[in-house]
Amino acid sequence: METTQVYGMPRIGDAAPEFKAVTTQGDINFPSDYKGKWAILFSHPADFTPVCTSEFMTFASMSKDFEALNCQLVGLSVDGLYSHIAWLRTIKEKIEYKGMKNVEVTFPLIEDITMEVAKKYGMLQPGESATKAVRAVFFVDPKGIIRAVIYYPLSLGRNFDEIKRVLIALQTADNFGVATPADWRPGDDVIVPTAGSCGVAKERMEGLQEGVTCYDWFFCTKKLPKEEVEKKLGK
Ligand code: BEZ
């Protein structure tokens, strides 16, 4: 009897589903090859399409920023390896866009013609397209745990500055034991975790903790200088 593999969609806090794949930079085992590093696994709908081209040029131009944050980029589409190679060569040799030219994509781009990986990661969303992956972004931490997920539809190019901001915020939360408020960027105040008891909360409100500002008992922030964040995150 034929069996159909049913995949769930990986969620925040799940172990990143494992796979082996052929890429433009050789074979990879994910996430084990990336142990000890952050990885951003992202999908795009198709090679030789305009939104994807603008995204790859932008992401590749920022790849040194991600490396400095101990993060490797891994792309995927359901196209084949030779299509990937031809598209990336065209980008490098022919496309000049928004001041970016001669852009070399040095991070691996997975071929997924069987759609095995795309299905495992919930990148195929039939209401949007049954044959192309949506623009998914998975942030995987050094232990192989999915820490954030963002999905965009086919027509919407991603904001790579936001992707970098999310990575920095996740690393800041891990390194400093804080949370980050709306629109946070390095240098902005961070959120002190909510106190476990009323006594501590009262102390916080009365300003007994140096450098802490409380807006109410459940909402306290403190300064975290940009230089401290950058030093810790290895920039
Ligand atoms: C694009 O990258 O331009 C694109 C890809 C698939 C569907 C729509 C747009």
Side-chain angles (χ1 to χ4, degrees):
M1 199 175 77
E2 203 175 298
T3 53
T4 311
Q5 177 90 49
V6 178
Y7 296 113
M9 238 154 99
R11 292 171 296 192
I12 293 173
D14 289 351
E18 290 176 10
F19 63 84
K20 285 182 189 189
V22 172
T23 86
T24 49
Q25 303 288 329
D27 295 355
I28 61 166
N29 286 289
F30 194 90
S32 55
D33 287 351
Y34 297 87
K35 210 167 180 184
K37 293 176 190 289
W38 286 78
I40 295 179
L41 173 66
F42 69 102
S43 56
H44 70 275
D47 299 345
F48 291 102
T49 52
V51 178
C52 301
T53 299
S54 69
E55 290 192 319
F56 264 67
M57 293 185 77
T58 308
F59 221 177
S61 300
M62 295 169 73
S63 60
K64 289 263 176 302
D65 295 4
F66 287 90
E67 262 168 45
L69 291 162
N70 189 31
C71 179
Q72 302 292 308
L73 310 177
V74 183
L76 174 148
S77 81
V78 301
D79 298 293
L81 187 63
Y82 294 107
S83 166
H84 285 343
I85 291 168
W87 178 47
L88 299 186
R89 186 181 299 151
T90 304
I91 287 176
K92 179 169 163 32
E93 291 176 358
K94 294 199 181 148
I95 312 281
E96 184 170 349
Y97 172 70
K98 284 196 162 175
M100 297 177 279
K101 66 174 182 181
N102 201 26
V103 174
E104 188 150 18
V105 174
T106 55
F107 55 80
L109 176 50
I110 295 169
E111 80 155 0
D112 192 28
I113 33 182
T114 60
M115 301 190 185
E116 181 81 12
V117 182
K119 285 179 188 160
K120 258 189 185 177
Y121 275 80
M123 293 164 170
L124 285 174
Q125 304 194 359
E128 179 72 346
S129 171
T131 56
K132 293 176 169 61
V134 295
R135 301 181 196 281
V137 188
F138 288 87
F139 297 79
V140 179
D141 76 12
K143 292 185 176 144
I145 303 297
I146 294 174
R147 299 290 300 280
V149 184
I150 315 179
Y151 286 108
Y152 297 69
L154 300 192
S155 63
L156 177 58
R158 285 162 277 208
N159 181 327
F160 290 93
D161 203 35
E162 169 63 1
I163 290 170
K164 185 173 153 191
R165 192 191 75 89
V166 170
L167 178 68
I168 292 173
L170 290 168
Q171 294 184 350
T172 299
D174 287 0
N175 279 285
F176 295 94
V178 296
T180 48
D183 297 333
W184 178 86
R185 289 193 172 269
D188 293 347
D189 292 357
V190 292
I191 293 179
V192 182
T194 306
S197 78
C198 294
V200 178
K202 189 162 171 282
E203 269 179 18
R204 283 150 61 102
M205 285 299 289
E206 287 167 357
L208 292 179
Q209 291 187 10
E210 268 293 304
V212 173
T213 304
C214 285
Y215 301 93
D216 205 328
W217 62 269
F218 62 93
F219 183 9
C220 296
T221 63
K222 69 173 184 183
K223 302 254 168 268
L224 180 55
K226 187 176 180 180
E227 303 71 52
E228 231 177 283
V229 174
E230 287 181 349
K231 194 169 160 206
K232 193 80 180 175
L233 271 46
K235 283 203 81 185

mmCIF file of all heavy atoms in Angstrom, residues 12 34 51 87 105 116 123 158 171 173-174 187:
data_model
loop_
_atom_site.group_PDB
_atom_site.id
_atom_site.type_symbol
_atom_site.label_atom_id
_atom_site.label_comp_id
_atom_site.label_asym_id
_atom_site.label_seq_id
_atom_site.Cartn_x
_atom_site.Cartn_y
_atom_site.Cartn_z
ATOM 1 N N ILE A 12 8.081 27.775 16.129
ATOM 2 C CA ILE A 12 9.078 28.346 17.047
ATOM 3 C C ILE A 12 9.256 27.387 18.232
ATOM 4 O O ILE A 12 8.259 26.914 18.798
ATOM 5 C CB ILE A 12 8.620 29.746 17.528
ATOM 6 C CG1 ILE A 12 8.620 30.736 16.356
ATOM 7 C CG2 ILE A 12 9.501 30.246 18.669
ATOM 8 C CD1 ILE A 12 8.024 32.085 16.679
ATOM 9 N N TYR A 34 25.575 23.137 10.707
ATOM 10 C CA TYR A 34 25.558 24.527 11.198
ATOM 11 C C TYR A 34 25.595 24.600 12.724
ATOM 12 O O TYR A 34 25.385 25.668 13.298
ATOM 13 C CB TYR A 34 24.314 25.255 10.628
ATOM 14 C CG TYR A 34 24.408 25.316 9.118
ATOM 15 C CD1 TYR A 34 23.934 24.277 8.329
ATOM 16 C CD2 TYR A 34 25.061 26.369 8.490
ATOM 17 C CE1 TYR A 34 24.082 24.287 6.950
ATOM 18 C CE2 TYR A 34 25.219 26.401 7.110
ATOM 19 C CZ TYR A 34 24.724 25.362 6.354
ATOM 20 O OH TYR A 34 24.898 25.381 4.986
ATOM 21 N N VAL A 51 11.428 39.721 -8.400
ATOM 22 C CA VAL A 51 11.457 39.996 -6.951
ATOM 23 C C VAL A 51 12.588 39.183 -6.308
ATOM 24 O O VAL A 51 13.384 39.703 -5.509
ATOM 25 C CB VAL A 51 10.086 39.681 -6.282
ATOM 26 C CG1 VAL A 51 10.162 39.921 -4.786
ATOM 27 C CG2 VAL A 51 8.966 40.498 -6.911
ATOM 28 N N TRP A 87 21.206 31.140 -13.066
ATOM 29 C CA TRP A 87 20.593 32.379 -12.539
ATOM 30 C C TRP A 87 21.627 33.195 -11.752
ATOM 31 O O TRP A 87 21.768 34.409 -11.970
ATOM 32 C CB TRP A 87 19.399 32.000 -11.663
ATOM 33 C CG TRP A 87 18.687 33.151 -11.019
ATOM 34 C CD1 TRP A 87 18.281 34.314 -11.618
ATOM 35 C CD2 TRP A 87 18.284 33.234 -9.650
ATOM 36 N NE1 TRP A 87 17.642 35.117 -10.701
ATOM 37 C CE2 TRP A 87 17.625 34.470 -9.479
ATOM 38 C CE3 TRP A 87 18.391 32.383 -8.547
ATOM 39 C CZ2 TRP A 87 17.089 34.881 -8.264
ATOM 40 C CZ3 TRP A 87 17.856 32.784 -7.341
ATOM 41 C CH2 TRP A 87 17.222 34.018 -7.199
ATOM 42 N N VAL A 105 26.837 35.418 -5.232
ATOM 43 C CA VAL A 105 26.122 34.735 -4.145
ATOM 44 C C VAL A 105 26.999 33.572 -3.688
ATOM 45 O O VAL A 105 27.151 32.582 -4.410
ATOM 46 C CB VAL A 105 24.733 34.243 -4.624
ATOM 47 C CG1 VAL A 105 24.040 33.409 -3.544
ATOM 48 C CG2 VAL A 105 23.865 35.436 -5.027
ATOM 49 N N GLU A 116 10.829 18.022 -1.333
ATOM 50 C CA GLU A 116 10.895 17.326 -0.049
ATOM 51 C C GLU A 116 11.162 18.314 1.098
ATOM 52 O O GLU A 116 10.479 18.288 2.125
ATOM 53 C CB GLU A 116 12.026 16.288 -0.147
ATOM 54 C CG GLU A 116 12.252 15.437 1.067
ATOM 55 C CD GLU A 116 11.273 14.269 1.156
ATOM 56 O OE1 GLU A 116 10.571 13.993 0.165
ATOM 57 O OE2 GLU A 116 11.223 13.646 2.233
ATOM 58 N N MET A 123 6.886 25.343 3.358
ATOM 59 C CA MET A 123 7.143 26.447 2.421
ATOM 60 C C MET A 123 6.176 26.427 1.241
ATOM 61 O O MET A 123 6.073 27.414 0.514
ATOM 62 C CB MET A 123 8.583 26.357 1.891
ATOM 63 C CG MET A 123 9.641 26.614 2.966
ATOM 64 S SD MET A 123 11.261 26.033 2.416
ATOM 65 C CE MET A 123 12.336 26.717 3.677
ATOM 66 N N ARG A 158 11.209 40.748 0.599
ATOM 67 C CA ARG A 158 11.466 40.863 2.037
ATOM 68 C C ARG A 158 12.286 42.095 2.404
ATOM 69 O O ARG A 158 13.025 42.628 1.574
ATOM 70 C CB ARG A 158 12.211 39.611 2.533
ATOM 71 C CG ARG A 158 11.306 38.419 2.638
ATOM 72 C CD ARG A 158 12.069 37.118 2.692
ATOM 73 N NE ARG A 158 12.426 36.653 1.374
ATOM 74 C CZ ARG A 158 12.614 35.379 1.029
ATOM 75 N NH1 ARG A 158 12.489 34.427 1.923
ATOM 76 N NH2 ARG A 158 12.929 35.031 -0.197
ATOM 77 N N GLN A 171 19.756 37.292 19.404
ATOM 78 C CA GLN A 171 21.069 37.100 20.038
ATOM 79 C C GLN A 171 21.198 37.973 21.288
ATOM 80 O O GLN A 171 21.822 37.573 22.278
ATOM 81 C CB GLN A 171 22.181 37.427 19.031
ATOM 82 C CG GLN A 171 22.220 36.448 17.871
ATOM 83 C CD GLN A 171 23.384 36.699 16.918
ATOM 84 O OE1 GLN A 171 24.060 37.713 17.011
ATOM 85 N NE2 GLN A 171 23.610 35.788 16.001
ATOM 86 N N ALA A 173 18.685 38.912 23.242
ATOM 87 C CA ALA A 173 17.855 38.275 24.281
ATOM 88 C C ALA A 173 18.631 37.129 24.936
ATOM 89 O O ALA A 173 18.647 36.997 26.167
ATOM 90 C CB ALA A 173 16.564 37.762 23.656
ATOM 91 N N ASP A 174 19.312 36.319 24.131
ATOM 92 C CA ASP A 174 20.061 35.173 24.670
ATOM 93 C C ASP A 174 21.260 35.611 25.513
ATOM 94 O O ASP A 174 21.554 35.026 26.546
ATOM 95 C CB ASP A 174 20.597 34.295 23.522
ATOM 96 C CG ASP A 174 19.503 33.484 22.852
ATOM 97 O OD1 ASP A 174 18.341 33.600 23.268
ATOM 98 O OD2 ASP A 174 19.818 32.735 21.911
ATOM 99 N N GLY A 187 21.166 49.844 21.007
ATOM 100 C CA GLY A 187 21.302 51.192 21.571
ATOM 101 C C GLY A 187 20.014 51.646 22.240
ATOM 102 O O GLY A 187 20.038 52.485 23.148
#
